[in-house]
Amino acid sequence: MTTTEKHAMGKGMKRKEDPRFLTGQGNYVDDLVIPGMLSMAIVHSPYPHARIKSIDKTAALAVPGVKAVITGEDLVAASLGWLPTFHGFDKQMVLAVGKVLFQHQEVAAVFAESREAAMDAAELVEVDYEPLEPISTPFDSMKDEVILRDDRETKTNHIYHWESGQQDETEAALAEADVTITERVYAPRCHPAPLEPCGCVAQFDAMGRLTFWVTSQAPHVYRTAISLVTGIPEDKIRVVAPDIGGGFGNKVPVYPGYVCAIVGALILKTPVKWIETRTENLTTTGFARDYHMDVTIGAKKDGTVTALKVKTVADHGAFDAAADPTQYPAGMFGIVTGSYDFPVAFTELDAYFTNKAPGGVAYRCSFRVTEASYAIERGMDLLAGELKMDPVDLRKKNFVQKEAFPYKSALGFTYDSGDYEGTLDHALTLIGYDELRKEQAEKRARGELMGIGISTFTEVVGAGPSKHFDILGIKMFDSAEVRIHPTGTGIVRAGTKSQGQGHETTWAQIVAEELGLDPENLLVEEGDTDTAPYGLGTYASRSTPVAGAALALAARRVREKAKKVAAHLLEAAEDDVEWKDYKFSIMGAPEKSVTMKEVAFAAYTNPGEGNEPGLEASLYYDPPNMTFPHGTYIAVVDVDAETGEVKVRRFLAVDDCGTIINPVIVQGQVHGGLTEGFAIAFMQEIPYDAQGNNMAPNFMEYLVPTAVESPVWETGHTVTPSPHHPIGAKGVGESPNVGSPAAFVNAVMDALSPLGVKHIDMPLTREKVWQAVRDAQGAAASD
Ligand code: PCD
Ligand SMILES: [Cu+]
């Protein structure tokens, strides 16, 4: 077996990056130390809503080692008071001016010789606040009794209205339906909480060129954004994202701290480092979800669905800093019809300001896909309950059929491919569904609460075709560069940036497969804007669908060039040379062949007359469509009626992400995402009390499950390639987070259904489950 075959596509090659991580030698932003570097700390507002009467820097400046304190007014004077938000509907204050709008909002920045001095001094910045009435729900906000943003012309807390689909037809179909269900389901405000918080180092060199090391999922977009905000010419900016300890969508937006660090480095003429604390990460940077969704489904008696309506109220916090593509304020929420063939559908959304932190990032979700998937998968279970049908039968009855692809959904997406029933059947066999239902019936007869929850989700990932998708006007393509050295090794660069996903391995595998080289000897480099081709970065599971395609096509371009050199070496006409079994050979005479390694050497030493020397290519890829991964997830739970405790006894995830590049990495992605989905379903929320206080500002309140709490994950897969992707691959990183919350909740609701409990909003904490059981028993007793 050749090294290519050993490590090629579909093989579970060990992750090339792991030796560095496993031996503690990763290179994170906080590892960077530059002589003379200052540390920055931020002053945060204790109030969710207050007028700033004055700020006194005197005491802070007196702390030994403190070099400067800047406030919002200083930034406004330098025309740096506001940041553009990604989709361009709003702007965000860098440091508060006039008013603070959420608890923990950034008010001032302190620069000092040590982190300790900066933090001590931050506590001594005296801000005189006049507290104002806070608004902590969008339902209060929509009354417009208090207008939160006086900087905006429109005197309302309403940010925007978005809708999609056929309203009249949907209403008519719902009116005619034999059965309808309707339920408000809430996707709670949660937080990606990467283990490494956000941070940066800003340094200007003697020529005035800025190098900015930062925890960024999208370094090129940062470079452009920094240039647009600060006026520094883009060629005078280098953004470097070194190793990143998890991103999960949190490291897509540009944050106020970054602007402050750059300003500090500029005025103090010395490098500045800023590393967030855990509390800063949880309270000020991109939250996720916070969607209140009214789901209505209409169906015939036999279970055939006839219409879907979803009306959402979205809480965007103090600034509309949601990280969504420009033309998609509610992201890809239009995927809410899921895996089901709805003849008509209508969805609308209204977003409001509140005195809560800004964000609305795509936490392991291709922009609001998790919310949409949760809404439809809960809705289908509620409908099954209403019709007294098995949720499996109801789903099978309504699946988009395998033959129907490409399938145009009622909300306008063209699904590329899928085999929903095949995947579901595979999952039912793997988990032994019929046996489980039998066991459940026996337990129910004994009064025990066992539940089985299903989610058969469809996702949309790989933004995107540039005619529809852009961020700040920058089209969402991606890029790759492949350069092969004389000895047949090489360097591969892409516009993406791994935060733990394993691109150093999978990108090498894609190129190795196309070129017949050893992926161990293809160095993958991402994240440095001085060297990587321009790309939109890694989030929304777009890297494999977009950059993965660019890599395969760039490698094929290299192969085309190599073919000319091969023809020269084989003394044959180019047309008589073919690429087969990872080698160039003469058609009909396979014994005459040359390897890519031989061709690479010749490309630099003996390319042949008229052939361009060297062996490299770069390519920008604009995908024709997105990819639509799907899966069937099944959770089995036991609920203790006495304590409200839920035990996830089994959890099976069968994913279909098209062609698999590395099955071990895919399995790791699924395990990680399921653990996050489990946390979201059972323990994680960033709640605000009625006074606007953030009630989960640290890991004592915001719970992250360890291996002890997490269930054992069972996995499986089916393979339905994407027809338009050069290697047939779809994204997978987000699927487990998108598909699992509904499976967990459906399982708990199935367990509680004998008591008549229909729905509980996440997180399904012991208290909530216990309370629901008690309420149901109380209601039964008083009947
Ligand atoms: N078919 C297939 C697919 C895929 N793959 C693999 O897997 C991974 C992933 O992929 P994707 O799906 O494409 O994705 P990406 O783009 O790369 O990434 C992103 C994602 O990813 C995930 N995962 C992870 N992991 C880790 N470790 N870390 C992190 O941070 C993270 N994050 C998360 C998130 S959240 Mo967003 O951002 O929210 O939107 S989105 C996201 C890579 O490596 C690849 O290559 C394979 O193999 N095959
Ligand atoms: Cu989302």
Side-chain angles (χ1 to χ4, degrees):
M1 204 197 290
T2 67
T3 42
T4 311
E5 285 163 52
K6 206 161 99 205
H7 298 316
M9 287 264 305
K11 298 278 158 53
M13 177 187 183
K14 279 196 181 151
R15 301 208 326 170
K16 292 171 64 182
E17 45 269 85
D18 280 354
R20 160 166 112 247
F21 296 137
L22 295 175
T23 56
Q25 293 178 78
N27 170 36
Y28 300 90
V29 171
D30 200 20
D31 292 325
L32 187 68
V33 177
I34 304 175
M37 183 171 73
L38 300 178
S39 201
M40 182 182 97
I42 293 182
V43 178
H44 296 275
S45 168
Y47 294 101
H49 194 199
R51 214 164 280 292
I52 298 178
K53 298 201 329 216
S54 63
I55 300 179
D56 187 351
K57 307 175 183 177
T58 326
L61 286 170
V63 172
V66 170
K67 298 288 176 195
V69 176
I70 58 169
T71 64
E73 291 192 349
D74 301 327
L75 292 178
V76 169
S79 303
L80 290 172
W82 295 82
L83 262 176
T85 57
F86 266 0
H87 60 47
F89 289 101
D90 197 16
K91 52 193 169 84
Q92 175 175 358
M93 277 181 203
V94 177
L95 293 173
V97 184
K99 242 164 88 159
V100 289
L101 289 159
F102 65 96
Q103 192 185 39
H104 298 280
Q105 188 178 342
E106 301 87 349
V107 176
V110 180
F111 303 88
E113 281 165 0
S114 69
R115 184 167 166 92
E116 294 72 21
M119 291 199 147
D120 285 351
E123 286 186 16
L124 296 175
V125 174
E126 282 164 33
V127 187
D128 190 6
Y129 295 101
E130 177 195 325
L132 301 168
E133 192 63 31
I135 296 180
S136 47
T137 78
F139 302 101
D140 287 333
S141 169
M142 66 173 71
K143 296 178 202 152
D144 276 341
E145 282 162 5
V146 176
I147 303 299
L148 297 181
R149 294 279 300 274
D150 2 276
D151 60 285
R152 289 168 55 105
E153 260 162 41
T154 44
K155 295 298 166 221
T156 167
N157 296 323
H158 183 248
I159 311 174
Y160 64 82
H161 172 85
W162 168 83
E163 60 178 58
S164 171
Q166 311 87 345
Q167 183 165 25
D168 296 343
E169 290 86 334
T170 302
E171 294 295 355
L174 288 173
E176 274 171 28
D178 296 336
V179 204
T180 57
I181 60 100
T182 181
E183 184 73 47
R184 170 164 296 175
V185 301
Y186 177 49
R189 178 175 274 242
C190 57
H191 198 283
L195 276 190
E196 178 205 28
C198 301
C200 67
V201 172
Q203 179 185 33
F204 286 88
D205 69 12
M207 312 295 287
R209 189 165 194 260
L210 167 68
T211 302
F212 192 58
W213 292 267
V214 62
T215 51
S216 172
Q217 296 180 229
H220 279 100
V221 181
Y222 272 42
R223 188 183 72 192
T224 305
I226 292 169
S227 177
L228 293 173
V229 171
T230 61
I232 303 171
E234 204 167 347
D235 67 302
K236 301 260 184 308
I237 304 170
R238 174 184 178 195
V239 175
V240 184
D243 284 333
I244 296 182
F248 308 110
N250 186 235
K251 291 166 181 170
V252 173
V254 174
Y255 293 119
Y258 300 156
V259 180
C260 294
I262 293 171
V263 169
L266 187 68
I267 57 177
L268 298 167
K269 302 201 172 12
T270 182
V272 168
K273 178 188 276 186
W274 173 60
I275 304 291
E276 262 184 355
T277 62
R278 176 59 55 197
T279 293
E280 288 178 309
N281 183 255
L282 286 172
T283 58
T284 64
T285 59
F287 75 91
R289 330 282 193 243
D290 221 343
Y291 265 29
H292 303 261
M293 303 170 286
D294 291 332
V295 184
T296 306
I297 303 179
K300 293 186 193 156
K301 274 200 207 76
D302 70 354
T304 309
V305 296
T306 53
L308 170 71
K309 182 171 83 171
V310 184
K311 190 172 161 42
T312 301
V313 170
D315 185 339
H316 280 217
F319 304 97
D320 185 18
D324 290 309
T326 313
Q327 297 174 47
Y328 290 78
M332 319 281 201
F333 194 79
I335 196 70
V336 69
T337 54
S339 308
Y340 315 106
D341 187 15
F342 280 95
V344 286
F346 177 69
T347 181
E348 61 181 328
L349 178 144
D350 289 276
Y352 297 91
F353 291 121
T354 58
N355 291 116
K356 290 160 75 173
V361 299
Y363 167 22
R364 212 161 190 157
C365 148
S366 173
F367 313 112
R368 308 299 185 177
V369 175
T370 311
E371 291 89 325
S373 169
Y374 180 65
I376 184 64
E377 290 303 317
R378 276 298 294 135
M380 289 304 275
D381 260 43
L382 288 160
L383 179 63
E386 184 70 29
L387 290 163
K388 305 214 166 11
M389 264 177 96
D390 187 303
V392 165
D393 299 335
L394 179 71
R395 283 171 167 82
K396 285 196 173 180
K397 188 159 208 98
N398 291 294
F399 276 151
V400 174
Q401 294 300 304
K402 199 168 145 189
E403 305 72 40
F405 294 94
Y407 167 81
K408 180 119 200 256
S409 79
L411 294 175
F413 285 119
T414 303
Y415 296 16
D416 60 346
S417 64
D419 178 4
Y420 301 148
E421 189 153 345
T423 305
L424 171 59
D425 282 337
H426 185 50
L428 296 177
T429 312
L430 282 182
I431 201 150
Y433 186 70
D434 295 337
E435 287 305 306
L436 285 170
R437 283 288 178 208
K438 255 187 231 143
E439 183 194 340
Q440 183 185 41
E442 287 160 21
K443 290 206 160 144
R444 276 193 182 160
R446 298 200 294 267
E448 289 169 37
L449 302 175
M450 167 182 165
I452 305 164
I454 312 234
S455 158
T456 49
F457 64 97
T458 290
E459 267 190 281
V460 45
V461 304
S466 68
K467 59 177 187 287
H468 301 305
F469 297 97
D470 69 85
I471 281 183
L472 281 171
I474 307 162
K475 302 291 191 185
M476 294 183 80
F477 51 77
D478 226 289
S479 59
E481 187 189 287
V482 176
R483 180 179 301 173
I484 304 303
H485 308 319
T487 52
T489 67
I491 182 161
V492 172
R493 295 185 171 117
T496 46
K497 174 62 209 171
S498 183
Q499 312 120 42
Q501 291 88 344
H503 293 173
E504 283 168 55
T505 307
T506 47
W507 289 177
Q509 284 181 283
I510 292 176
V511 173
E513 174 74 23
E514 298 293 335
L515 297 181
L517 294 173
D518 184 354
E520 291 287 1
N521 293 113
L522 291 171
L523 176 73
V524 173
E525 201 186 82
E526 300 178 305
D528 182 340
T529 59
D530 271 8
T531 53
Y534 202 107
L536 275 273
T538 292
Y539 43 84
S541 264
R542 64 185 297 280
S543 305
T544 303
V546 193
L551 284 155
L553 295 178
R556 286 176 200 173
R557 227 174 236 184
V558 167
R559 208 164 68 199
E560 284 309 303
K561 285 190 171 179
K563 193 177 177 193
K564 294 188 197 303
V565 179
H568 162 67
L569 293 179
L570 292 166
E571 296 174 322
E574 203 189 321
D575 286 347
D576 295 335
V577 173
E578 66 177 345
W579 175 254
K580 220 178 140 198
D581 300 332
Y582 304 116
K583 288 194 292 270
F584 288 110
S585 50
I586 298 181
M587 264 179 252
E591 67 289 350
K592 275 203 86 182
S593 67
V594 281
T595 62
M596 188 61 79
K597 200 170 165 179
E598 291 163 323
V599 171
F601 197 68
Y604 292 87
T605 56
N606 170 28
E609 223 181 289
N611 289 334
E612 184 188 355
L615 201 53
E616 65 179 82
S618 63
L619 186 133
Y620 281 66
Y621 183 74
D622 187 2
N625 188 8
M626 288 177 292
T627 66
F628 295 73
H630 61 91
T632 294
Y633 289 0
I634 304 180
V636 183
V637 303
D638 297 302
V639 180
D640 184 335
E642 299 296 313
T643 63
E645 190 186 355
V646 178
K647 269 219 177 71
V648 179
R649 195 202 316 166
R650 288 184 71 186
F651 194 99
L652 168 70
V654 176
D655 276 285
D656 192 323
C657 56
T659 309
I660 293 173
I661 303 158
N662 185 321
V664 177
I665 286 184
V666 166
Q667 197 186 39
Q669 287 292 307
V670 173
H671 284 190
L674 291 178
T675 307
E676 289 179 318
F678 169 68
I680 289 165
F682 292 108
M683 59 191 87
Q684 291 185 339
E685 187 178 11
I686 305 273
Y688 282 73
D689 69 8
Q691 285 73 48
N693 297 302
N694 183 321
M695 303 303 283
N698 53 53
F699 278 169
M700 295 295 286
E701 316 295 334
Y702 194 75
L703 304 179
V704 177
T706 67
V708 176
E709 294 82 24
S710 303
V712 172
W713 308 117
E714 300 168 48
T715 56
H717 63 263
T718 54
V719 176
T720 313
S722 168
H724 63 77
H725 189 280
I727 59 171
K730 304 180 178 184
V732 77
E734 300 181 327
S735 305
N737 195 333
V738 168
S740 67
F744 291 116
V745 177
N746 285 346
V748 176
M749 295 311 132
D750 183 48
L752 300 185
S753 63
L755 303 173
V757 178
K758 280 215 173 115
H759 180 72
I760 311 174
D761 279 324
M762 296 186 290
L764 301 181
T765 57
R766 255 183 228 198
E767 294 90 308
K768 278 203 216 166
V769 173
W770 178 82
Q771 191 64 51
V773 169
R774 274 189 60 115
D775 290 351
Q777 284 166 343
S782 65
D783 273 353

